[in-house]
């Protein structure tokens, strides 16, 4: 896990630089210069692009990780593996472009009543999805070459900087109109895909010349079946994270989508470590399962699950205790405070997803991967039914609740199959210590709110300034306490080694 931890730390640092830029963009630029409806339009366009791109991949990003070990050979530039990762998505895009055109009338009719602005810009979904599609493919190629930092920098920092400039050109400098804003979003993702492509070329480890000798009949058969499976899986699994955006937009309008988008962005911070650690560990899990080294696969899964549970739980805790101060800071924060309960519900969903997602990775790279299709169909059907039932009654909270309940059901079934079929248990006793740690921090926070926070409210500043000072001091004290408890309780050997290294303590 040493290399994995080191790579994931670098990736996480990049993620949080991106988060800082995203925080500035979302909370101080977007909320100030864009209306709620424009924020909703931005969210729906990007989510629609992601959804279309995930279909058009035909499972390429997962296939890259699963089948790369069969092509892996640096001396032969991996037998032209990169060539096939370019061709398959082209076929997928053409296929789904035809499908989308056939369904265009239904899509327009669904959104025309409450989200007419999205209908006006629907055509931009297609070029946007192409750029997103190949950015994902190039990034997956970099992942299997164990080079995650630059593509992650492009995704988490480069894209956010591009979007920030686009929003400023639209809202602050008034250089472009709404058409220009949408075109600017497309250009941002085009540049990101282009940079990733040229980065792969600089590695000198890829080739456009396919080696047909590697393509044995059993491998082609396995690839064909796996691709078909991933295509069906994408129709369900990739719909799920974006489902609420479309339900809220169609049923409540783009203004509510804007509020929901801000709340979802806050909650998404919880699972940032998941992106880095899973990106670097998935190839190792795939290789372990390919070699039938189940013990190593389980060790990897347990370690990933523990560290993601610890990091996501702490992030969720600090978001929640400072949420009121955050809304005070936001331009027009009172308009977005309606999404506070959405943050709480989605925060739990992101926490469970971070902690348990590695079980899905293990299943997808095993011979039992077809089970995940059953579960994702169940997940999507459950989510659709719950959205239909809960949104009319609870509004945005109903959308968030449907997301949480659907994922809980999904992971309960998935972990059971992984344990029975693969004899892998991703959970460990150390995770009980994490729960106890968070419980202790909640008690400390309650004591602070009742005993110390009122003193900060008496400072000779504005209410907003007093709340911010209280939040900063409280977070600092509780962060030091959490690191101390984690270290002396020895929740994680890797974390303890990292702390000793940072503090230059000899073992």
């Amino acid at each position: 896990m040493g290399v994995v931890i080191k790579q994931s730390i670098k990736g996480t640092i990049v993620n949080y630089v991106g988060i800082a830029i995203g925080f500035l963009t979302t909370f101080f630029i977007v909320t100030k210069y864009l209306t709620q409806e424009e924020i909703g339009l931005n969210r729906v366009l990007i989510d629609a692009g992601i959804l279309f791109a995930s279909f058009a991949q035909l499972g390429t990003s997962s296939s890259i990780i699963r089948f790369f070990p069969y092509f892996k050979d640096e001396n032969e530039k991996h037998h032209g593996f990169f060539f096939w990762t370019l061709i398959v998505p082209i076929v997928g895009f053409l296929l789904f472009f035809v499908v989308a055109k056939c369904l265009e009338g239904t899509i327009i009719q669904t959104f025309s009543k409450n989200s007419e602005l999205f209908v006006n810009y629907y055509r931009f979904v297609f070029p946007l999805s192409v750029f997103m599609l190949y950015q994902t493919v190039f990034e997956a190629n970099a992942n299997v070459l164990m080079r995650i930092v630059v593509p992650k920098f492009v995704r988490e920092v480069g894209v956010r900087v591009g979007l920030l400039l686009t929003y400023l050109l639209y809202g602050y400098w008034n250089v472009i109109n709404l058409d220009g804003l949408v075109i600017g979003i497309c250009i941002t993702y085009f540049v990101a895909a282009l940079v990733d492509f040229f980065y792969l070329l600089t590695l000198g480890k890829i080739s456009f010349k396919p080696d047909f000798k590697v393509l044995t009949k059993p491998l082609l058969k396995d690839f064909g079946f796996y691709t078909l499976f991933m295509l069906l899986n994408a129709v369900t699994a990739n719909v799920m994270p974006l489902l609420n955006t479309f339900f809220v937009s169609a049923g409540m309008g783009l203004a509510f989508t804007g509020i929901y988008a801000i709340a979802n962005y806050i909650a998404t911070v919880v699972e940032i470590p998941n992106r880095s650690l899973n990106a670097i560990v998935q190839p190792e899990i795939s290789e372990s399962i390919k070699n039938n080294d189940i013990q190593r696969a389980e060790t990897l899964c347990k370690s990933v699950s523990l560290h993601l549970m610890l990091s996501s739980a702490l992030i969720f805790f600090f978001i929640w205790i400072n949420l009121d101060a955050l809304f005070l800071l936001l331009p027009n924060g009172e308009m977005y405070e309606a999404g506070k309960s959405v943050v709480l519900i989605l925060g739990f969903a992101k926490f469970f997803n971070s902690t348990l997602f590695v079980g899905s990775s293990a299943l997808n790279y095993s011979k039992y991967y077809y089970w995940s299709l059953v579960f994702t169909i169940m997940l999507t059907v459950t989510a659709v039914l719950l959205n239909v039932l809960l949104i009319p009654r609870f509004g945005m909270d109903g959308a968030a609740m449907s997301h949480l309940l659907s994922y809980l059901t999904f992971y309960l079934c998935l972990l059971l199959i992984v344990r029975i079929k693969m004899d892998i248990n991703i959970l460990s006793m150390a995770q009980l210590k994490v729960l106890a740690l968070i419980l202790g921090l909640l008690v400390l926070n309650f004591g602070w709110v009742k005993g110390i926070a009122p003193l900060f409210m008496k400072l000779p500043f504005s209410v907003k300034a007093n709340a911010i000072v209280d939040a900063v001091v409280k977070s600092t004290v509780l962060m030091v306490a959490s690191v101390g408890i984690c270290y002396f309780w020895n929740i994680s050997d890797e974390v303890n080694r990292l702390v000793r290294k940072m503090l230059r303590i000899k073992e």
Side-chain angles (χ1 to χ4, degrees):
M1 282 294 291
V3 175
V4 173
I5 291 293
K6 196 174 294 184
Q7 283 283 305
S8 65
I9 288 171
K10 290 179 181 179
T12 300
I13 290 171
V14 170
N15 276 331
Y16 279 106
V17 171
I19 283 294
I21 297 170
F23 180 88
L24 170 67
T25 302
T26 303
F27 297 126
F28 297 100
I29 303 299
V30 169
T31 56
K32 185 175 179 64
Y33 296 112
L34 271 66
T35 65
Q36 291 172 319
E37 189 176 22
E38 289 167 345
I39 295 173
L41 171 65
N42 177 73
R43 187 69 265 157
V44 176
L45 280 174
I46 291 177
D47 282 358
I50 292 171
L51 183 62
F52 193 92
S54 66
F55 290 165
Q57 280 185 51
L58 297 181
T60 303
S61 57
S62 295
S63 296
I64 288 171
I65 297 173
R66 177 175 171 80
F67 291 101
F68 179 73
Y70 296 92
F71 292 79
K72 189 175 180 180
D73 187 341
E74 284 196 23
N75 295 328
E76 297 293 332
K77 293 191 174 182
H78 310 299
H79 300 284
F81 182 70
F82 181 68
F83 171 81
W84 299 112
T85 67
L86 295 179
I87 297 300
V88 174
I90 292 175
V91 177
F93 177 78
L94 293 174
L95 172 66
F96 280 98
F97 179 78
V98 172
V99 173
K101 277 297 181 181
C102 292
L103 296 175
E104 190 171 75
T106 303
I107 294 170
I108 289 174
Q109 185 178 359
T110 301
F111 286 90
S112 58
K113 182 179 179 181
N114 294 315
S115 301
E116 187 177 355
L117 202 57
F118 171 63
V119 173
N120 295 340
Y121 290 99
Y122 171 71
R123 66 188 183 279
F124 287 95
V125 169
F126 300 108
L128 183 61
S129 63
V130 173
F131 307 144
M132 289 178 166
L133 166 63
Y134 276 102
Q135 184 189 2
T136 302
V137 169
F138 297 151
E139 192 171 330
N141 273 283
N143 286 346
V144 295
L145 295 173
M146 305 301 283
R147 294 290 186 272
I148 72 165
V149 178
V150 171
K152 190 163 287 296
F153 181 85
V154 172
R155 178 177 292 278
E156 302 297 340
V157 178
V159 169
R160 285 188 168 100
V161 170
L163 292 176
L164 171 60
L165 291 174
T166 303
Y167 298 142
L168 289 173
L169 286 170
Y170 174 72
Y172 181 69
W173 290 307
N174 296 313
V175 174
I176 57 177
N177 56 16
L178 191 57
D179 290 351
L181 173 67
V182 175
I183 292 171
I185 293 171
C186 294
I187 291 173
T188 296
Y189 283 95
F190 168 71
V191 173
L194 204 61
V195 171
D196 280 348
F197 174 72
F198 282 113
Y199 172 68
L200 282 173
L201 291 182
T202 63
L203 295 177
K205 296 181 179 181
I206 62 172
S207 171
F208 294 98
K209 184 180 179 181
D211 185 352
F212 291 96
K213 293 178 182 178
V214 183
L215 301 178
T216 62
K217 286 186 178 180
L219 182 62
L220 284 173
K221 183 179 178 181
D222 193 14
F223 177 80
F225 185 76
Y226 187 77
T227 299
L228 178 61
F229 163 77
M230 291 308 300
L231 172 59
L232 296 173
N233 193 49
V235 175
T236 51
N238 293 304
V239 167
M240 185 56 208
L242 313 173
L243 197 61
N244 292 346
T245 297
F246 301 123
F247 265 98
V248 173
S249 299
M252 301 178 69
L254 288 176
F256 286 98
T257 307
I259 297 173
Y260 190 91
I262 296 298
N264 185 59
Y265 182 86
I266 298 171
T268 299
V269 178
V270 173
E271 62 180 1
I272 291 299
N274 181 28
R275 300 179 188 177
S276 296
L277 192 51
N278 266 302
I280 192 63
V281 83
Q282 281 181 4
E284 293 202 24
I285 292 174
S286 176
E287 190 167 355
S288 298
I289 292 173
K290 172 183 172 290
N291 297 331
N292 202 31
D293 190 349
I294 301 302
Q295 185 175 355
R296 181 170 181 267
E298 183 177 57
T299 300
L300 284 167
C301 288
K302 282 181 180 291
S303 182
V304 170
S305 180
L306 170 63
H307 290 98
L308 287 178
M309 182 183 190
L310 177 61
S311 57
S312 60
L314 287 173
I315 294 168
F316 185 23
F317 169 77
F318 283 105
I319 287 174
W320 182 249
I321 66 173
N322 292 304
L323 197 56
D324 290 331
L326 177 60
F327 282 122
L328 280 175
L329 275 172
L330 283 185
N332 304 312
E334 67 283 353
M335 297 169 61
Y336 298 98
E337 200 169 0
K340 184 177 179 179
S341 53
V342 174
V343 175
L344 178 64
I345 299 167
L346 289 181
F348 275 112
K350 306 297 183 185
F351 165 73
F352 287 118
N353 188 54
S354 289
T355 304
L356 305 175
F357 182 80
V358 70
S360 180
S361 298
L363 185 62
N364 284 339
Y365 302 128
S366 74
K367 63 182 180 180
Y368 303 106
Y369 60 82
Y370 50 84
W371 274 101
S372 64
L373 176 60
V374 176
F375 297 143
T376 50
I377 291 173
M378 178 187 70
L379 171 69
T380 305
V381 171
T382 304
V384 169
L385 292 175
L386 287 174
N387 269 293
V388 170
L389 290 172
L390 298 179
I391 288 179
R393 185 171 181 181
F394 300 106
M396 293 183 298
D397 290 350
M401 284 187 283
S402 71
H403 189 84
L404 173 60
L405 294 173
S406 301
Y407 269 108
L408 284 176
T409 305
F410 169 78
Y411 279 118
L412 181 64
C413 297
L414 184 142
L415 294 181
L416 190 63
I417 285 296
V418 169
R419 186 72 179 91
I420 293 172
K421 294 290 186 180
M422 301 178 62
D423 198 25
I424 290 178
N425 177 21
I426 72 167
L427 302 176
S428 62
M429 294 301 293
Q431 289 172 311
L432 294 176
K433 291 184 178 181
V434 176
L435 294 177
L437 168 65
I438 299 303
L439 218 73
L441 290 175
L442 286 170
V443 172
L444 291 174
N445 179 66
F446 180 79
W448 184 285
V449 170
K450 293 297 181 182
I452 300 176
L455 301 178
F456 283 93
M457 294 301 105
K458 295 178 182 179
L459 291 174
F461 307 116
S462 65
V463 173
K464 181 186 291 187
N466 291 347
I468 293 170
V469 172
D470 172 58
V472 170
V473 175
K474 176 178 65 176
S475 297
T476 303
V477 171
L478 292 180
M479 177 61 74
V480 171
S482 65
V483 173
I485 294 170
C486 186
Y487 181 82
F488 289 107
W489 207 0
N490 195 29
I491 292 178
S492 163
D493 291 335
E494 284 84 359
V495 171
N496 279 17
R497 277 195 290 270
L498 182 61
V499 171
R500 284 193 291 268
K501 185 176 181 180
M502 293 175 64
L503 298 178
R504 296 181 180 178
I505 300 173
K506 292 184 179 180
E507 297 195 31

